[in-house]
Amino acid sequence: AQSVAQPEDQVNVAEGNPLTVKCTYSVSGNPYLFWYVQYPNRGLQFLLKYITGDNLVKGSYGFEAEFNKSQTSFHLKKPSALVSDSALYFCAILMDSNYQLIWGAGTKLIIKP
Amino acid sequence: NAGVTQTPKFRILKIGQSMTLQCAQDMNHNYMYWYRQDPGMGLKLIYYSVGAGITDKGEVPNGYNVSRSTTEDFPLRLELAAPSQTSVYFCASSSNRVGEQFFGPGTRLTVL
């Protein structure tokens, strides 16, 4: 069965420092992996996805993610954090047997000035 | 483009009452989804649709029903509301199975 895990409930980073939000997955076939962001009292917004091809995926707002098949990870990264990056981040995996996205529990990212 | 719109934004129901959450999209997307988001949890898929007239159950369908008579609209019906249905409900749409999902602003539902 497919699953996705976000091992950190919260990540704290100083503004200007690099940030990483972790995601690991379990899937029997080829994974389709996604990152979404949720700002307070808002719906979710798409950041990036990995379907196939290059392991480094670039997305919106300067974010990128690295697909690592051997470590079954898809960590979200940004070289220099902004206070406005503070939000709730979700990793999700698409099941290859149907149309259902499986979501992680979310990681709260706090960027301190 | 308005994107994905949801009404109402907030609602309080009494146990046993029923209501319909409205969702509409103007992007001509075939795929539409209903999720619920509970505190500290990721999203759970309630129902989805791959086109007008086609719907299917997601992970947590019990207590809910949907219909898809047009490409644009995908209403979610709650019958006999229960406190366990207190949650934030999100509607989303996408152009294909692996495409970006566009989310509405959500409906915060409380069942007392």
PDB file of all heavy atoms in Angstrom, chain B residues 61-99:
ATOM      1  N   PRO B  61     -15.888   7.900   2.542  1.00  0.00           N
ATOM      2  CA  PRO B  61     -17.150   8.334   1.929  1.00  0.00           C
ATOM      3  C   PRO B  61     -18.391   8.244   2.826  1.00  0.00           C
ATOM      4  O   PRO B  61     -19.437   8.821   2.494  1.00  0.00           O
ATOM      5  CB  PRO B  61     -17.287   7.367   0.764  1.00  0.00           C
ATOM      6  CG  PRO B  61     -16.644   6.106   1.270  1.00  0.00           C
ATOM      7  CD  PRO B  61     -15.486   6.563   2.130  1.00  0.00           C
ATOM      8  N   ASN B  62     -18.286   7.511   3.944  1.00  0.00           N
ATOM      9  CA  ASN B  62     -19.489   7.252   4.740  1.00  0.00           C
ATOM     10  C   ASN B  62     -20.088   8.531   5.295  1.00  0.00           C
ATOM     11  O   ASN B  62     -19.408   9.347   5.897  1.00  0.00           O
ATOM     12  CB  ASN B  62     -19.160   6.291   5.882  1.00  0.00           C
ATOM     13  CG  ASN B  62     -18.847   4.898   5.373  1.00  0.00           C
ATOM     14  OD1 ASN B  62     -19.156   4.569   4.238  1.00  0.00           O
ATOM     15  ND2 ASN B  62     -18.226   4.087   6.215  1.00  0.00           N
ATOM     16  N   GLY B  63     -21.409   8.687   5.095  1.00  0.00           N
ATOM     17  CA  GLY B  63     -22.116   9.858   5.585  1.00  0.00           C
ATOM     18  C   GLY B  63     -22.230  10.968   4.555  1.00  0.00           C
ATOM     19  O   GLY B  63     -22.799  12.022   4.849  1.00  0.00           O
ATOM     20  N   TYR B  64     -21.695  10.737   3.371  1.00  0.00           N
ATOM     21  CA  TYR B  64     -21.679  11.750   2.314  1.00  0.00           C
ATOM     22  C   TYR B  64     -22.197  11.164   1.000  1.00  0.00           C
ATOM     23  O   TYR B  64     -22.134   9.968   0.776  1.00  0.00           O
ATOM     24  CB  TYR B  64     -20.257  12.264   2.068  1.00  0.00           C
ATOM     25  CG  TYR B  64     -19.525  12.744   3.284  1.00  0.00           C
ATOM     26  CD1 TYR B  64     -18.686  11.885   3.994  1.00  0.00           C
ATOM     27  CD2 TYR B  64     -19.662  14.045   3.725  1.00  0.00           C
ATOM     28  CE1 TYR B  64     -18.006  12.310   5.123  1.00  0.00           C
ATOM     29  CE2 TYR B  64     -18.967  14.491   4.851  1.00  0.00           C
ATOM     30  CZ  TYR B  64     -18.144  13.624   5.541  1.00  0.00           C
ATOM     31  OH  TYR B  64     -17.468  14.061   6.648  1.00  0.00           O
ATOM     32  N   ASN B  65     -22.677  12.071   0.138  1.00  0.00           N
ATOM     33  CA  ASN B  65     -23.035  11.700  -1.228  1.00  0.00           C
ATOM     34  C   ASN B  65     -22.678  12.831  -2.165  1.00  0.00           C
ATOM     35  O   ASN B  65     -22.613  13.993  -1.753  1.00  0.00           O
ATOM     36  CB  ASN B  65     -24.537  11.399  -1.340  1.00  0.00           C
ATOM     37  CG  ASN B  65     -24.852   9.969  -0.982  1.00  0.00           C
ATOM     38  OD1 ASN B  65     -24.356   9.034  -1.613  1.00  0.00           O
ATOM     39  ND2 ASN B  65     -25.659   9.781   0.038  1.00  0.00           N
ATOM     40  N   VAL B  66     -22.436  12.490  -3.420  1.00  0.00           N
ATOM     41  CA  VAL B  66     -22.100  13.491  -4.420  1.00  0.00           C
ATOM     42  C   VAL B  66     -22.879  13.226  -5.691  1.00  0.00           C
ATOM     43  O   VAL B  66     -23.445  12.144  -5.889  1.00  0.00           O
ATOM     44  CB  VAL B  66     -20.598  13.505  -4.759  1.00  0.00           C
ATOM     45  CG1 VAL B  66     -19.761  13.947  -3.577  1.00  0.00           C
ATOM     46  CG2 VAL B  66     -20.143  12.157  -5.272  1.00  0.00           C
ATOM     47  N   SER B  67     -22.885  14.236  -6.550  1.00  0.00           N
ATOM     48  CA  SER B  67     -23.435  14.100  -7.899  1.00  0.00           C
ATOM     49  C   SER B  67     -22.595  14.963  -8.823  1.00  0.00           C
ATOM     50  O   SER B  67     -21.932  15.905  -8.377  1.00  0.00           O
ATOM     51  CB  SER B  67     -24.900  14.529  -7.933  1.00  0.00           C
ATOM     52  OG  SER B  67     -25.029  15.883  -7.527  1.00  0.00           O
ATOM     53  N   ARG B  68     -22.597  14.641 -10.087  1.00  0.00           N
ATOM     54  CA  ARG B  68     -21.844  15.441 -11.077  1.00  0.00           C
ATOM     55  C   ARG B  68     -22.667  15.477 -12.363  1.00  0.00           C
ATOM     56  O   ARG B  68     -22.454  14.713 -13.288  1.00  0.00           O
ATOM     57  CB  ARG B  68     -20.479  14.804 -11.324  1.00  0.00           C
ATOM     58  CG  ARG B  68     -19.581  15.621 -12.257  1.00  0.00           C
ATOM     59  CD  ARG B  68     -18.669  16.532 -11.508  1.00  0.00           C
ATOM     60  NE  ARG B  68     -17.860  17.361 -12.381  1.00  0.00           N
ATOM     61  CZ  ARG B  68     -16.662  17.007 -12.870  1.00  0.00           C
ATOM     62  NH1 ARG B  68     -16.168  15.799 -12.599  1.00  0.00           N
ATOM     63  NH2 ARG B  68     -15.981  17.832 -13.628  1.00  0.00           N
ATOM     64  N   SER B  69     -23.616  16.378 -12.388  1.00  0.00           N
ATOM     65  CA  SER B  69     -24.486  16.475 -13.561  1.00  0.00           C
ATOM     66  C   SER B  69     -23.878  17.358 -14.649  1.00  0.00           C
ATOM     67  O   SER B  69     -24.247  17.239 -15.828  1.00  0.00           O
ATOM     68  CB  SER B  69     -25.863  17.018 -13.163  1.00  0.00           C
ATOM     69  OG  SER B  69     -25.713  18.275 -12.515  1.00  0.00           O
ATOM     70  N   THR B  70     -22.955  18.231 -14.290  1.00  0.00           N
ATOM     71  CA  THR B  70     -22.272  19.089 -15.263  1.00  0.00           C
ATOM     72  C   THR B  70     -20.769  19.036 -15.009  1.00  0.00           C
ATOM     73  O   THR B  70     -20.325  18.631 -13.930  1.00  0.00           O
ATOM     74  CB  THR B  70     -22.726  20.549 -15.166  1.00  0.00           C
ATOM     75  OG1 THR B  70     -22.310  21.091 -13.904  1.00  0.00           O
ATOM     76  CG2 THR B  70     -24.238  20.677 -15.296  1.00  0.00           C
ATOM     77  N   THR B  71     -19.985  19.482 -15.970  1.00  0.00           N
ATOM     78  CA  THR B  71     -18.530  19.550 -15.780  1.00  0.00           C
ATOM     79  C   THR B  71     -18.174  20.541 -14.678  1.00  0.00           C
ATOM     80  O   THR B  71     -17.225  20.348 -13.928  1.00  0.00           O
ATOM     81  CB  THR B  71     -17.845  19.972 -17.088  1.00  0.00           C
ATOM     82  OG1 THR B  71     -18.120  18.991 -18.083  1.00  0.00           O
ATOM     83  CG2 THR B  71     -16.336  20.100 -16.918  1.00  0.00           C
ATOM     84  N   GLU B  72     -18.957  21.622 -14.564  1.00  0.00           N
ATOM     85  CA  GLU B  72     -18.600  22.719 -13.672  1.00  0.00           C
ATOM     86  C   GLU B  72     -18.888  22.444 -12.190  1.00  0.00           C
ATOM     87  O   GLU B  72     -18.176  22.929 -11.321  1.00  0.00           O
ATOM     88  CB  GLU B  72     -19.357  23.992 -14.080  1.00  0.00           C
ATOM     89  CG  GLU B  72     -18.968  24.551 -15.431  1.00  0.00           C
ATOM     90  CD  GLU B  72     -19.583  23.783 -16.586  1.00  0.00           C
ATOM     91  OE1 GLU B  72     -20.577  23.052 -16.368  1.00  0.00           O
ATOM     92  OE2 GLU B  72     -19.061  23.896 -17.718  1.00  0.00           O
ATOM     93  N   ASP B  73     -19.951  21.713 -11.891  1.00  0.00           N
ATOM     94  CA  ASP B  73     -20.441  21.632 -10.516  1.00  0.00           C
ATOM     95  C   ASP B  73     -20.258  20.248  -9.902  1.00  0.00           C
ATOM     96  O   ASP B  73     -20.486  19.226 -10.558  1.00  0.00           O
ATOM     97  CB  ASP B  73     -21.922  22.020 -10.475  1.00  0.00           C
ATOM     98  CG  ASP B  73     -22.153  23.430 -10.970  1.00  0.00           C
ATOM     99  OD1 ASP B  73     -21.602  24.359 -10.356  1.00  0.00           O
ATOM    100  OD2 ASP B  73     -22.853  23.589 -11.989  1.00  0.00           O
ATOM    101  N   PHE B  74     -19.927  20.240  -8.612  1.00  0.00           N
ATOM    102  CA  PHE B  74     -19.691  18.973  -7.908  1.00  0.00           C
ATOM    103  C   PHE B  74     -20.135  19.146  -6.457  1.00  0.00           C
ATOM    104  O   PHE B  74     -19.320  19.290  -5.550  1.00  0.00           O
ATOM    105  CB  PHE B  74     -18.214  18.601  -7.995  1.00  0.00           C
ATOM    106  CG  PHE B  74     -17.878  17.208  -7.532  1.00  0.00           C
ATOM    107  CD1 PHE B  74     -18.669  16.126  -7.855  1.00  0.00           C
ATOM    108  CD2 PHE B  74     -16.719  16.981  -6.793  1.00  0.00           C
ATOM    109  CE1 PHE B  74     -18.337  14.845  -7.452  1.00  0.00           C
ATOM    110  CE2 PHE B  74     -16.375  15.695  -6.375  1.00  0.00           C
ATOM    111  CZ  PHE B  74     -17.194  14.637  -6.706  1.00  0.00           C
ATOM    112  N   PRO B  75     -21.431  19.127  -6.189  1.00  0.00           N
ATOM    113  CA  PRO B  75     -21.920  19.331  -4.822  1.00  0.00           C
ATOM    114  C   PRO B  75     -21.717  18.113  -3.933  1.00  0.00           C
ATOM    115  O   PRO B  75     -21.783  16.970  -4.398  1.00  0.00           O
ATOM    116  CB  PRO B  75     -23.411  19.618  -5.030  1.00  0.00           C
ATOM    117  CG  PRO B  75     -23.747  18.951  -6.331  1.00  0.00           C
ATOM    118  CD  PRO B  75     -22.515  19.029  -7.175  1.00  0.00           C
ATOM    119  N   LEU B  76     -21.492  18.381  -2.652  1.00  0.00           N
ATOM    120  CA  LEU B  76     -21.324  17.333  -1.637  1.00  0.00           C
ATOM    121  C   LEU B  76     -22.497  17.420  -0.665  1.00  0.00           C
ATOM    122  O   LEU B  76     -22.753  18.461  -0.077  1.00  0.00           O
ATOM    123  CB  LEU B  76     -20.011  17.533  -0.888  1.00  0.00           C
ATOM    124  CG  LEU B  76     -19.725  16.558   0.256  1.00  0.00           C
ATOM    125  CD1 LEU B  76     -19.391  15.168  -0.296  1.00  0.00           C
ATOM    126  CD2 LEU B  76     -18.568  17.062   1.124  1.00  0.00           C
ATOM    127  N   ARG B  77     -23.183  16.312  -0.488  1.00  0.00           N
ATOM    128  CA  ARG B  77     -24.355  16.248   0.363  1.00  0.00           C
ATOM    129  C   ARG B  77     -24.020  15.520   1.663  1.00  0.00           C
ATOM    130  O   ARG B  77     -23.449  14.423   1.633  1.00  0.00           O
ATOM    131  CB  ARG B  77     -25.484  15.517  -0.357  1.00  0.00           C
ATOM    132  CG  ARG B  77     -26.765  15.331   0.428  1.00  0.00           C
ATOM    133  CD  ARG B  77     -27.589  16.581   0.418  1.00  0.00           C
ATOM    134  NE  ARG B  77     -28.863  16.385   1.118  1.00  0.00           N
ATOM    135  CZ  ARG B  77     -29.634  17.381   1.522  1.00  0.00           C
ATOM    136  NH1 ARG B  77     -29.282  18.649   1.295  1.00  0.00           N
ATOM    137  NH2 ARG B  77     -30.772  17.140   2.141  1.00  0.00           N
ATOM    138  N   LEU B  78     -24.341  16.164   2.784  1.00  0.00           N
ATOM    139  CA  LEU B  78     -24.230  15.518   4.088  1.00  0.00           C
ATOM    140  C   LEU B  78     -25.632  15.163   4.567  1.00  0.00           C
ATOM    141  O   LEU B  78     -26.497  16.037   4.675  1.00  0.00           O
ATOM    142  CB  LEU B  78     -23.592  16.445   5.123  1.00  0.00           C
ATOM    143  CG  LEU B  78     -22.087  16.574   5.159  1.00  0.00           C
ATOM    144  CD1 LEU B  78     -21.582  17.368   3.974  1.00  0.00           C
ATOM    145  CD2 LEU B  78     -21.643  17.213   6.458  1.00  0.00           C
ATOM    146  N   GLU B  79     -25.860  13.908   4.825  1.00  0.00           N
ATOM    147  CA  GLU B  79     -27.135  13.449   5.350  1.00  0.00           C
ATOM    148  C   GLU B  79     -26.954  13.110   6.826  1.00  0.00           C
ATOM    149  O   GLU B  79     -25.970  12.481   7.192  1.00  0.00           O
ATOM    150  CB  GLU B  79     -27.599  12.204   4.599  1.00  0.00           C
ATOM    151  CG  GLU B  79     -27.718  12.367   3.094  1.00  0.00           C
ATOM    152  CD  GLU B  79     -28.962  13.135   2.669  1.00  0.00           C
ATOM    153  OE1 GLU B  79     -29.742  13.552   3.545  1.00  0.00           O
ATOM    154  OE2 GLU B  79     -29.153  13.308   1.457  1.00  0.00           O
ATOM    155  N   LEU B  80     -27.900  13.526   7.653  1.00  0.00           N
ATOM    156  CA  LEU B  80     -27.869  13.166   9.083  1.00  0.00           C
ATOM    157  C   LEU B  80     -26.512  13.512   9.714  1.00  0.00           C
ATOM    158  O   LEU B  80     -25.743  12.640  10.111  1.00  0.00           O
ATOM    159  CB  LEU B  80     -28.156  11.674   9.258  1.00  0.00           C
ATOM    160  CG  LEU B  80     -29.523  11.202   8.750  1.00  0.00           C
ATOM    161  CD1 LEU B  80     -29.630   9.681   8.857  1.00  0.00           C
ATOM    162  CD2 LEU B  80     -30.634  11.882   9.534  1.00  0.00           C
ATOM    163  N   ALA B  81     -26.242  14.815   9.783  1.00  0.00           N
ATOM    164  CA  ALA B  81     -24.947  15.283  10.260  1.00  0.00           C
ATOM    165  C   ALA B  81     -24.621  14.737  11.651  1.00  0.00           C
ATOM    166  O   ALA B  81     -25.491  14.645  12.534  1.00  0.00           O
ATOM    167  CB  ALA B  81     -24.925  16.802  10.280  1.00  0.00           C
ATOM    168  N   ALA B  82     -23.349  14.409  11.837  1.00  0.00           N
ATOM    169  CA  ALA B  82     -22.839  13.890  13.110  1.00  0.00           C
ATOM    170  C   ALA B  82     -21.638  14.725  13.551  1.00  0.00           C
ATOM    171  O   ALA B  82     -20.949  15.311  12.699  1.00  0.00           O
ATOM    172  CB  ALA B  82     -22.428  12.433  12.964  1.00  0.00           C
ATOM    173  N   PRO B  83     -21.361  14.795  14.867  1.00  0.00           N
ATOM    174  CA  PRO B  83     -20.196  15.575  15.338  1.00  0.00           C
ATOM    175  C   PRO B  83     -18.888  15.167  14.668  1.00  0.00           C
ATOM    176  O   PRO B  83     -17.996  16.007  14.498  1.00  0.00           O
ATOM    177  CB  PRO B  83     -20.181  15.281  16.844  1.00  0.00           C
ATOM    178  CG  PRO B  83     -21.611  14.989  17.174  1.00  0.00           C
ATOM    179  CD  PRO B  83     -22.160  14.258  15.978  1.00  0.00           C
ATOM    180  N   SER B  84     -18.778  13.904  14.270  1.00  0.00           N
ATOM    181  CA  SER B  84     -17.545  13.433  13.610  1.00  0.00           C
ATOM    182  C   SER B  84     -17.334  14.088  12.244  1.00  0.00           C
ATOM    183  O   SER B  84     -16.237  13.985  11.671  1.00  0.00           O
ATOM    184  CB  SER B  84     -17.584  11.912  13.443  1.00  0.00           C
ATOM    185  OG  SER B  84     -18.692  11.539  12.646  1.00  0.00           O
ATOM    186  N   GLN B  85     -18.347  14.738  11.716  1.00  0.00           N
ATOM    187  CA  GLN B  85     -18.223  15.412  10.428  1.00  0.00           C
ATOM    188  C   GLN B  85     -17.790  16.876  10.582  1.00  0.00           C
ATOM    189  O   GLN B  85     -17.659  17.590   9.585  1.00  0.00           O
ATOM    190  CB  GLN B  85     -19.537  15.325   9.652  1.00  0.00           C
ATOM    191  CG  GLN B  85     -19.874  13.903   9.230  1.00  0.00           C
ATOM    192  CD  GLN B  85     -21.179  13.789   8.494  1.00  0.00           C
ATOM    193  OE1 GLN B  85     -22.232  14.197   9.009  1.00  0.00           O
ATOM    194  NE2 GLN B  85     -21.148  13.226   7.299  1.00  0.00           N
ATOM    195  N   THR B  86     -17.554  17.299  11.803  1.00  0.00           N
ATOM    196  CA  THR B  86     -16.966  18.621  12.040  1.00  0.00           C
ATOM    197  C   THR B  86     -15.573  18.625  11.433  1.00  0.00           C
ATOM    198  O   THR B  86     -14.716  17.811  11.797  1.00  0.00           O
ATOM    199  CB  THR B  86     -16.894  18.922  13.541  1.00  0.00           C
ATOM    200  OG1 THR B  86     -18.215  19.044  14.053  1.00  0.00           O
ATOM    201  CG2 THR B  86     -16.124  20.209  13.801  1.00  0.00           C
ATOM    202  N   SER B  87     -15.345  19.530  10.477  1.00  0.00           N
ATOM    203  CA  SER B  87     -14.099  19.529   9.733  1.00  0.00           C
ATOM    204  C   SER B  87     -14.072  20.734   8.796  1.00  0.00           C
ATOM    205  O   SER B  87     -15.025  21.497   8.721  1.00  0.00           O
ATOM    206  CB  SER B  87     -13.976  18.232   8.922  1.00  0.00           C
ATOM    207  OG  SER B  87     -12.690  18.104   8.347  1.00  0.00           O
ATOM    208  N   VAL B  88     -12.969  20.881   8.097  1.00  0.00           N
ATOM    209  CA  VAL B  88     -12.891  21.838   6.997  1.00  0.00           C
ATOM    210  C   VAL B  88     -12.926  21.039   5.699  1.00  0.00           C
ATOM    211  O   VAL B  88     -12.165  20.078   5.539  1.00  0.00           O
ATOM    212  CB  VAL B  88     -11.617  22.699   7.059  1.00  0.00           C
ATOM    213  CG1 VAL B  88     -11.591  23.689   5.898  1.00  0.00           C
ATOM    214  CG2 VAL B  88     -11.534  23.436   8.392  1.00  0.00           C
ATOM    215  N   TYR B  89     -13.815  21.430   4.807  1.00  0.00           N
ATOM    216  CA  TYR B  89     -14.018  20.702   3.565  1.00  0.00           C
ATOM    217  C   TYR B  89     -13.463  21.514   2.394  1.00  0.00           C
ATOM    218  O   TYR B  89     -13.765  22.693   2.232  1.00  0.00           O
ATOM    219  CB  TYR B  89     -15.511  20.428   3.355  1.00  0.00           C
ATOM    220  CG  TYR B  89     -16.057  19.452   4.349  1.00  0.00           C
ATOM    221  CD1 TYR B  89     -16.453  19.856   5.626  1.00  0.00           C
ATOM    222  CD2 TYR B  89     -16.150  18.093   4.040  1.00  0.00           C
ATOM    223  CE1 TYR B  89     -16.927  18.949   6.558  1.00  0.00           C
ATOM    224  CE2 TYR B  89     -16.629  17.183   4.956  1.00  0.00           C
ATOM    225  CZ  TYR B  89     -17.010  17.619   6.217  1.00  0.00           C
ATOM    226  OH  TYR B  89     -17.483  16.705   7.130  1.00  0.00           O
ATOM    227  N   PHE B  90     -12.658  20.822   1.588  1.00  0.00           N
ATOM    228  CA  PHE B  90     -12.068  21.452   0.410  1.00  0.00           C
ATOM    229  C   PHE B  90     -12.507  20.724  -0.844  1.00  0.00           C
ATOM    230  O   PHE B  90     -12.498  19.493  -0.911  1.00  0.00           O
ATOM    231  CB  PHE B  90     -10.541  21.430   0.485  1.00  0.00           C
ATOM    232  CG  PHE B  90      -9.966  22.358   1.500  1.00  0.00           C
ATOM    233  CD1 PHE B  90      -9.498  21.874   2.710  1.00  0.00           C
ATOM    234  CD2 PHE B  90      -9.885  23.717   1.248  1.00  0.00           C
ATOM    235  CE1 PHE B  90      -8.954  22.730   3.659  1.00  0.00           C
ATOM    236  CE2 PHE B  90      -9.340  24.580   2.185  1.00  0.00           C
ATOM    237  CZ  PHE B  90      -8.883  24.087   3.387  1.00  0.00           C
ATOM    238  N   CYS B  91     -12.844  21.511  -1.835  1.00  0.00           N
ATOM    239  CA  CYS B  91     -13.102  21.007  -3.173  1.00  0.00           C
ATOM    240  C   CYS B  91     -11.905  21.344  -4.040  1.00  0.00           C
ATOM    241  O   CYS B  91     -11.253  22.387  -3.840  1.00  0.00           O
ATOM    242  CB  CYS B  91     -14.365  21.664  -3.733  1.00  0.00           C
ATOM    243  SG  CYS B  91     -14.820  21.161  -5.392  1.00  0.00           S
ATOM    244  N   ALA B  92     -11.580  20.474  -4.979  1.00  0.00           N
ATOM    245  CA  ALA B  92     -10.442  20.710  -5.862  1.00  0.00           C
ATOM    246  C   ALA B  92     -10.768  20.186  -7.252  1.00  0.00           C
ATOM    247  O   ALA B  92     -11.672  19.353  -7.425  1.00  0.00           O
ATOM    248  CB  ALA B  92      -9.180  20.031  -5.324  1.00  0.00           C
ATOM    249  N   SER B  93     -10.023  20.673  -8.238  1.00  0.00           N
ATOM    250  CA  SER B  93     -10.194  20.175  -9.596  1.00  0.00           C
ATOM    251  C   SER B  93      -8.843  20.082 -10.282  1.00  0.00           C
ATOM    252  O   SER B  93      -7.882  20.766  -9.887  1.00  0.00           O
ATOM    253  CB  SER B  93     -11.128  21.080 -10.402  1.00  0.00           C
ATOM    254  OG  SER B  93     -10.491  22.313 -10.722  1.00  0.00           O
ATOM    255  N   SER B  94      -8.763  19.238 -11.300  1.00  0.00           N
ATOM    256  CA  SER B  94      -7.540  19.129 -12.094  1.00  0.00           C
ATOM    257  C   SER B  94      -7.909  18.745 -13.519  1.00  0.00           C
ATOM    258  O   SER B  94      -8.982  18.207 -13.775  1.00  0.00           O
ATOM    259  CB  SER B  94      -6.568  18.111 -11.489  1.00  0.00           C
ATOM    260  OG  SER B  94      -7.103  16.809 -11.531  1.00  0.00           O
ATOM    261  N   SER B  95      -6.972  19.004 -14.428  1.00  0.00           N
ATOM    262  CA  SER B  95      -7.250  18.728 -15.839  1.00  0.00           C
ATOM    263  C   SER B  95      -6.972  17.271 -16.206  1.00  0.00           C
ATOM    264  O   SER B  95      -7.485  16.768 -17.199  1.00  0.00           O
ATOM    265  CB  SER B  95      -6.412  19.643 -16.728  1.00  0.00           C
ATOM    266  OG  SER B  95      -5.033  19.447 -16.456  1.00  0.00           O
ATOM    267  N   ASN B  96      -6.125  16.608 -15.395  1.00  0.00           N
ATOM    268  CA  ASN B  96      -5.852  15.203 -15.644  1.00  0.00           C
ATOM    269  C   ASN B  96      -5.428  14.532 -14.342  1.00  0.00           C
ATOM    270  O   ASN B  96      -5.300  15.180 -13.306  1.00  0.00           O
ATOM    271  CB  ASN B  96      -4.774  15.031 -16.718  1.00  0.00           C
ATOM    272  CG  ASN B  96      -3.474  15.701 -16.328  1.00  0.00           C
ATOM    273  OD1 ASN B  96      -2.797  15.251 -15.405  1.00  0.00           O
ATOM    274  ND2 ASN B  96      -3.131  16.779 -17.011  1.00  0.00           N
ATOM    275  N   ARG B  97      -5.188  13.236 -14.414  1.00  0.00           N
ATOM    276  CA  ARG B  97      -4.964  12.425 -13.215  1.00  0.00           C
ATOM    277  C   ARG B  97      -3.699  12.844 -12.463  1.00  0.00           C
ATOM    278  O   ARG B  97      -3.672  12.844 -11.234  1.00  0.00           O
ATOM    279  CB  ARG B  97      -4.873  10.956 -13.612  1.00  0.00           C
ATOM    280  CG  ARG B  97      -4.607  10.013 -12.469  1.00  0.00           C
ATOM    281  CD  ARG B  97      -4.728   8.572 -12.923  1.00  0.00           C
ATOM    282  NE  ARG B  97      -4.122   7.682 -11.954  1.00  0.00           N
ATOM    283  CZ  ARG B  97      -2.896   7.193 -12.035  1.00  0.00           C
ATOM    284  NH1 ARG B  97      -2.135   7.505 -13.070  1.00  0.00           N
ATOM    285  NH2 ARG B  97      -2.421   6.406 -11.100  1.00  0.00           N
ATOM    286  N   VAL B  98      -2.647  13.221 -13.178  1.00  0.00           N
ATOM    287  CA  VAL B  98      -1.389  13.569 -12.503  1.00  0.00           C
ATOM    288  C   VAL B  98      -1.150  15.073 -12.501  1.00  0.00           C
ATOM    289  O   VAL B  98      -0.056  15.539 -12.190  1.00  0.00           O
ATOM    290  CB  VAL B  98      -0.192  12.844 -13.161  1.00  0.00           C
ATOM    291  CG1 VAL B  98      -0.343  11.346 -13.018  1.00  0.00           C
ATOM    292  CG2 VAL B  98      -0.034  13.244 -14.628  1.00  0.00           C
ATOM    293  N   GLY B  99      -2.167  15.831 -12.852  1.00  0.00           N
ATOM    294  CA  GLY B  99      -2.017  17.276 -12.918  1.00  0.00           C
ATOM    295  C   GLY B  99      -2.155  17.957 -11.575  1.00  0.00           C
ATOM    296  O   GLY B  99      -2.646  17.387 -10.595  1.00  0.00           O
TER     297      GLY B  99
END
